[in-house]
Amino acid sequence: MIIVMEPNATAEQIDHAARQVEALGMRAHVIRGTERTVIAAIGEKREQAKEALETAPGVAAVMPILAPYKVASREVKSEPTQVTAGSLVLGAGVVGVIAGPCSVESEEQILATARAVKEAGATALRGGAFKPRTSPYSFQGLKEDGLKLLAMARQETQLAVVTEVVATEDVELVAQYADVLQVGARNMQNYRLLEAVGAAGKPVLLKRGPSATMDEFLLAAEYILNAGNPQVILCERGIRTFETHTRYTLPLASVPYLHRKTHLPVVVDPSHGTGHAYLVADMAAAAIAAGADGLIVEVHPDPERALSDGYQSLNFAQFHAMMQRCRRIAQALDLNLRTLCDARRPGGLRALQPTT
Ligand code: PEP
Ligand code: MN
């Protein structure tokens, strides 16, 4: 249920209503909006709970939440959520670009990439240290040594680090180095991992499972939110279909659909979504045009020699050209994507007002 407070409800009235929710055996998530506060009551609803809450002082209305996911839904929070992790700001009208290699391979590779993507206007560095590979014989990542190299690149460039955690037992270690914990597509429904990253106190980038429906995707996000972590970024990275001309099928309708259903920011991964470097810039541009709050793009100094996903990685010149194109689209649409253009200016990112 959602308990909608009167616009002038006092702090005591909000506290009282939240305590009532807990006394009725549900959990209370208090969401303070610019106009009014709402309380999401999560859990099994007891008989007469609605009536009991309706009589509490300061309560304007008590309504059922229709979506299967609760805390993630727009019904509970109508304003868009903005996620901030160091240099990376995403959502509520601000666009962020996360770029870097599929895997961290060496000091030289990650430092050169960090410098190049920053110069082109990226606002965060990606790079896998723990890699979930289809084949056990493929390169599995440099593990903690890779995390140390990412921290070194952050130290030099000030770019926030986004890196994947593949197992619950690694969450603590990865969280020591990462600014954003990435949960990969293969782990979208690893519920213990979702709870662990939810408790880790770092923003989470959750990738859509290749066969997950939108409801399953949002329910996975709900696990992280329910663990007390409001900083969740959703990532559309393509799904498995009968089509084989691209690695996955990248459904960009997910972006406006998710914006309608959830307040969480949505980023698009045109690298895994297509599996071909020559398709990445076009789909990045299309994602920005569809209203994405950000992009996550694979970039490598020498894609032909990459230890993973080289065929879908952009080289530095291609990434630079992609960014210029995305910037022009943003300007044409008058999106608050201007931050993408401003990212390189001294003073850093400029947070803009949310669009409604
Ligand atoms: C990645 O980002 O390198 C990755 C493994 O992505 P996904 O989980 O979407 O396959
Ligand atoms: Mn990859």
Side-chain angles (χ1 to χ4, degrees), residues 101-103 126 131 207 247 269 271-272 298 308-309 312:
C102 178
S103 309
R126 63 149 289 150
K131 293 303 300 176
K207 290 191 134 192
R247 184 178 177 189
D269 176 346
S271 309
H272 294 85
E298 288 185 339
S308 60
D309 287 355
Q312 65 189 31

